[in-house]
Structures are given as structure tokens and as C-alpha cells.
Amino acid sequence: MTPGPERFARARARMEETGVDALLLSVGPDLPYLTGYEAMPLERLTMFVLRPTGDPVLLVPRLEAPRVADRGHFTIETWDETDDPVARVAAMVGAPRRVAIGDHTWARFVLALQHALPGTEFGPANAVLAPMRAVKDAEEIAALERAGAAVDAIAAGLRATAFAGRREIDVHRDLVERMLAAGHERANFAIVAAGPNAASPHHEPGDRVIADGDLVLCDFGGTMDGYCSDITRMFCVGEPTTEVRDAYAVLAEAQEAGVRAATVGTPCEAVDAATRAVIDAAGYGDFFVHRTGHGIGTEAHEDPYVVSGNATPLVAGHAFSIEPGIYLPGRWGMRLEDIVVATEAGPHRCNHAPRDIAVVA
Amino acid sequence: MTPGPERFARARARMEETGVDALLLSVGPDLPYLTGYEAMPLERLTMFVLRPTGDPVLLVPRLEAPRVADRGHFTIETWDETDDPVARVAAMVGAPRRVAIGDHTWARFVLALQHALPGTEFGPANAVLAPMRAVKDAEEIAALERAGAAVDAIAAGLRATAFAGRREIDVHRDLVERMLAAGHERANFAIVAAGPNAASPHHEPGDRVIADGDLVLCDFGGTMDGYCSDITRMFCVGEPTTEVRDAYAVLAEAQEAGVRAATVGTPCEAVDAATRAVIDAAGYGDFFVHRTGHGIGTEAHEDPYVVSGNATPLVAGHAFSIEPGIYLPGRWGMRLEDIVVATEAGPHRCNHAPRDIAVVA
């Protein structure tokens, strides 16, 4: 199923189930998922308005209208620099009881729309669209696999490159370039964290020069044909210490346990518990400071979240990361991440790059 | 003035003036402007809470806490994967009459906070912070000039490169790399629009191969030491036609008129009218489809907007683009853009790259 009328019909069915009279989408992944068009993250409002009946409307700033590919799926309306786009949206929806607004919509537009529609209850579009987006069809899974294969090749290729003497930021830029060269339209992130910096799970790559003996975490992903990649692999300049090797064996076992647990019908929190049990048993439980994973699709992080407290059972087509980590503040950090799809035939990995610590120069 | 206590004090004074009991900042430029820390644009809430008195608090996901540089300016609190960060923020602010929330905050968090604070009126943080952010001090102007000099050098360097035979997307990537190599920490955009594509002011660079005779619009900018660059220059593969040369002479005159008009005390809309008058007089008025410019600082587009209807008079320290354009659908488009600062001594340009159409191979 591609963006367009089929998805509009499914969204309308969900709107009816959830009592939503209008769906209002701006920046963020919901809009391209439904329409194929991505809003610019700027101060000029772009808004897609889907009502139970009638033509869907995409309202865009006049100067951005040429960017919209008109496939006849919806009406394109434009607003000029001195128009009030919020008033235009309000006029389109009338006085609805309840609207759902895209999760990434800027606060300034949420507040302005609430002001223009004082009798209307606002809810998150997530409640309408997240369950749709979370379950991938065959085409979407194929897109995730293609994006996965692209970063697999980069991860495998990195094993033959020299790390020592380069700054984290140099490797970061190299990864960004490789993702673009490999066909990603966008690099979403490229964490490169060396030595003690890897103990910060979301480390911002900086000027630290990678040195002999450094254990280096590389976690990178982007968007390719609209679907996201996300992979984490570990590199070591020279042989890892025994402590690191032993901890990594625990981590790899935990990751494998998480993947094995990700069968249809298993609650997300049970998958989280499966990785955590292995790390806890080895005594590293206090150093695994984040959830096991996140859903992935048109958005880098989306439903379903593989986290304690999420009792949602996996269904065939759920796609998510399994990425346990162990972080020793001031010393080192490690994470191992693959994207996995739940299928009736069992968990299916989208990443196949070697999973051991790569010893690099 | 740098991020930290001085800016907190000014923000608190503005909160008092505008009747705001708490300022809540998440993703977007307000947070780094006040604190020096930038939130990750992800589903885990980061929120800075500034109340009239007491320690300011930055609430971050536990796994991102190592990213925060602790300069002692505010209290850092962390939340764990199974905590409810919205409830934590609500508890911090009590039951305020009125809060102001950062303009880029995701709708999902706005709605969740409104739900958690049912008696509270929510307004935009813009009302508190925009006037502060719009007026740059000497340090900020110096930062804008450094960022401007970096893209000036790139624009000048491009004049010696070959365009023909490359795709728009190749030149786009080249620009991104050049911005990063020139010291920008982030490339925000790099529009490369060749031939008729340039008639789309916000064209998405694509697979079009640049050909002999193409007029090519390059509009690029990024963030360097926290402040944005933004420049547009035109390139032509071979000699431009007489029509293009003549239209460009009009455009350059319009841009110059806009810069000259940007004196302290002049309303923003009068600056817009100054560029528009020149283009109107030449008969191209219908093809100048956007405002004259936007403010610039820690955000690529911010107050003050140089647009019809904005009667705000310029004050010394306002920094903004002057970027008229002429767009002939299906044929060609052109824009000329510099960043300008209003000063008591008159309008001051931050960009100095040659402004003529560069004839390239």
C-alpha cells in the first residue's frame, strides 16, 4: 500500500473508531505516510486536512506549492504571505467536536488552532495513525530491508578502515557521506563515541581523537525511499581487553535473546525483559540504562516501543530495534543493534553485518 | 551575553511583563538560546522549566544527561524509561494560571501537558522570548558575521567550479560538505535549482542534470557556533540571455533598495515595500511570490519578518535577510540574498560575496 487513497480510507475508518472529525497533519512522518508529501519544518504552516467525507486538502504556502507532486489524490490549496493559514484550516473543518493533530506539529500552530476552534477537543493523531503505521506490509518491510542492507554494507566496510588518529566528528561525517552515497535521501544521525564517551548513549560526536585501545561505538541511520535504517556496531582500535570481551559476550547474548523473544503474540515488555535478564544475570543490570528498542518505519523512532510497561503484543509486521547496551561511566560503553520484523514464521532480522567487535587500526 | 543567568533574568522580566508563570522549553532554538543545551528531536521529552523564582530545571531523559554540560546555571533532573516526564513537569510548576511553551514543542507534549494542567492557559514562548532573541548584541552580530564569511567564501569558490553535467543533488551535497568543512556544525539547507526548477523558490534538489545555458539558484545556510548563515547567489552555465540579464539587473536593484531601506525606525513592511516597488515597476511584480526576508539568529527564520503587514520598526541589532526573487513558472527563477543588521550607523551587510550572476562551466 502506498501513500494515497487506500491509506486515506484506512485512516478514515480509524477516525470513525476513535471519534475524530478531522485529522490535521503538518511536519513529521504522518504526512508523508499518508500523502507522499513532506512539509518543510519552517514557520509557514503546511497542513493536510482529512475529514470523514469530501476531498482531502493539502494547504501549503504558495511558494512551496511547486514542490507538491499532484497525483490527483487530494486538493492542493495555497496561501499567500499575508493570508492567515490557521483561519483557512479552521474554516475548512467548521466546528468539529474532536480533531486529531499530528504529533510533531509545532506548539505555535497547535495553540493558534485551539484559539481558532475554541469548542473543539484536540487529541494526538498518533491515536489514529500509530497502529496503522506500526504494522508494515510486504512493500514496507522490503523498504526497511533495503535501507538495512545499505547500512550493513557501510558497517561491514568500516571494519577495513583506520580509526586511530581521526576525530569522532571525522568518522561521523564519513558515515553521513556513506549513507548518502549508498542511496539514503537523508542521514538522520551518526553517533560516533570513543573510549569513555561511549558511556553516553546519545553522545554528540566531537573533537576527541580516537586513540589506540579505544572501544568505539557507531550508531547510525537515515531515510531511504522513505523508510529508516538504524544499526549499531562496535569497533576497537587493537585488541579489546578481557573485561570488554567478556561484557560484549553478555551483550551479544542479550541481543540474541531479545531477537529470539520477538515472536508474534509476545508483549513488547517481555522482549525488553528478555534482554535485561541476560544483562542482569551478568551483574551489569545497573548499566543498561535504556529500553531495549523502538519501532521503526517512516520515522526513526515510532510504535511499538520495546520497553517495560508496554504490554502491546507483537503482531506480524511490527518492525523495531533490539539494542541492549552496557555503559560504564568514565570508562566505556557498548551497544549492539539490529532491526527486527515480527513475522508468523518468527523474528526476522533486517541487518546482517558481522556482529562481533571489529578490531581496527 | 551568553546563555545562562543573564538571559534567565531577562526572560523572567519578560515573563512578568507578559503575565507568564512558567516558561516550558523543549526542542527548538529557545532552549539553546537560554541554556546552551539543544534537545534531541525525539520522542523522549526534554524540558527546561523556568519559574519566576527558584532554580531553573532542565529535565532530560536519563540516557541523555551525559550530553548536558553542567555549568551550574540550572538543576539537571533526569527521568527513567518508565517514568512519566509530563507528570514531572506538571509537578514542578504546580497549578499556574498561565504558562508559555516553546514554539517548536511537539504537539504530543503540548496536549499531554494541557491534560496534566487542566486549569492552565497555554501561550507561545515566542511572546516572551522573540523580542529578546530578535535584538542581537555585539557578540551575536560577530557570530552572524563569522557564519556569513564562511558561506561567502563558499559562494565565491563555487564561481570557479564546473556545474554542467552534475546533478542538482551533487551540487547540494557539495554545498553541505563545504559548509561542514568551513566550520558549520550543521548544514540547515542547500537549495540547488537549475533551469525551470528555480521557479520553485523552495525547490528540493533532485536528479536533474545541469545543462548548458541553465541558470542555477543556490541558496544555502547552516549553523556555526550556534548562529545561522543564509545566502543566495545565481550561477549560469555559459552567458545568460538578455532577458535574464535584464531581469537580474532589476532584482539586484530591488535587493539594494531593500538593504538601503533597512534603517533603524523603518517598519519591516516598508523594507518589503522598497524591494517590491522596484520589481513591480519593471513589470515582474506578479512573479515575486514571497516576502522580502526573515529574521535570523539561533534560528534560520525568526522575528522580525520583512513582510507586508508587519509594522514593527527596525531597532539596532535586528538581523534579517533581504532576498527578493523573480520566478517565471516553467522557465527560470532568480533570488539574491544577503543577511543585514540594522545599526545606528545604517544597514550593515553580513555577506560580501560577489553579487553578479557567476558565469560557470
Side-chain angles (χ1 to χ4, degrees), chain B residues 163-198:
Chain B
F163 278 65
R166 297 165 77 195
R167 298 173 305 166
E168 291 172 342
I169 190 79
D170 299 325
V171 180
H172 161 90
R173 285 181 191 162
D174 185 9
L175 284 170
V176 168
E177 282 168 32
R178 286 175 190 235
M179 283 190 273
L180 297 176
H184 282 64
E185 59 260 23
R186 184 164 59 218
N188 294 327
F189 56 86
I191 299 173
V192 177
N197 287 348

Side-chain angles (χ1 to χ4, degrees), chain A residues 2 23 39 47-49 64 71 82 119 129 141 174 229 231 284:
Chain A
T2 50
L23 188 63
M47 190 148 268
F48 180 69
V49 180
E64 290 168 12
R71 300 196 176 81
T82 54
L129 297 175
I141 292 167
D174 185 11
S229 61
I231 187 171
Y284 282 115

Side-chain angles (χ1 to χ4, degrees), chain A residues 117-154:
Chain A
L117 297 167
T120 300
E121 181 192 337
F122 281 70
N126 208 36
V128 177
L129 297 175
M132 269 175 71
R133 278 179 40 201
V135 181
K136 274 73 181 176
D137 64 22
E139 248 174 87
E140 295 182 281
I141 292 167
L144 287 169
E145 292 203 316
R146 283 194 303 273
V151 290
D152 279 350
I154 295 168

Side-chain angles (χ1 to χ4, degrees), chain A residues 40-44 62-67 80-82 101-111 114 122-126 173 176-177 180-181 183-185 191 199-204 286 289-292 294 299-302 305 307-309, chain B residues 40-44 62-67 80-82 101-111 114 122-126 173 176-177 180-181 183-185 191 199-204 286 289-292 294 299-302 305 307-309:
Chain A
M40 299 191 82
L42 288 172
E43 73 289 355
R44 291 184 183 95
R62 182 175 166 195
L63 81 166
E64 290 168 12
R67 302 176 80 243
D80 281 308
E81 295 283 47
T82 54
I101 190 156
D103 284 26
H104 295 207
T105 307
W106 286 9
R108 66 156 72 178
F109 298 121
V110 179
L111 298 178
Q114 287 176 330
F122 281 70
N126 208 36
R173 286 180 189 160
V176 168
E177 282 169 30
L180 297 174
H184 282 65
E185 60 260 24
I191 299 172
S200 168
H202 278 179
H203 176 66
E204 188 82 25
D286 288 346
V289 295
H290 56 69
R291 67 192 174 208
T292 289
H294 54 80
E299 191 172 2
H301 291 183
E302 62 182 42
Y305 290 97
V307 62
S308 170
Chain B
M40 299 193 82
L42 288 171
E43 74 289 353
R44 292 183 184 95
R62 181 176 167 193
L63 81 166
E64 291 169 12
R67 301 176 80 244
D80 281 308
E81 296 284 50
T82 54
I101 190 158
D103 284 27
H104 295 207
T105 308
W106 285 10
R108 67 156 72 176
F109 297 121
V110 179
L111 298 177
Q114 287 177 330
F122 281 69
N126 209 36
R173 285 181 191 162
V176 168
E177 282 168 32
L180 297 176
H184 282 64
E185 59 260 23
I191 299 173
S200 168
H202 278 177
H203 175 65
E204 186 81 27
D286 288 348
V289 296
H290 56 70
R291 65 188 177 212
T292 290
H294 54 79
E299 190 172 3
H301 292 183
E302 62 181 41
Y305 290 98
V307 61
S308 170

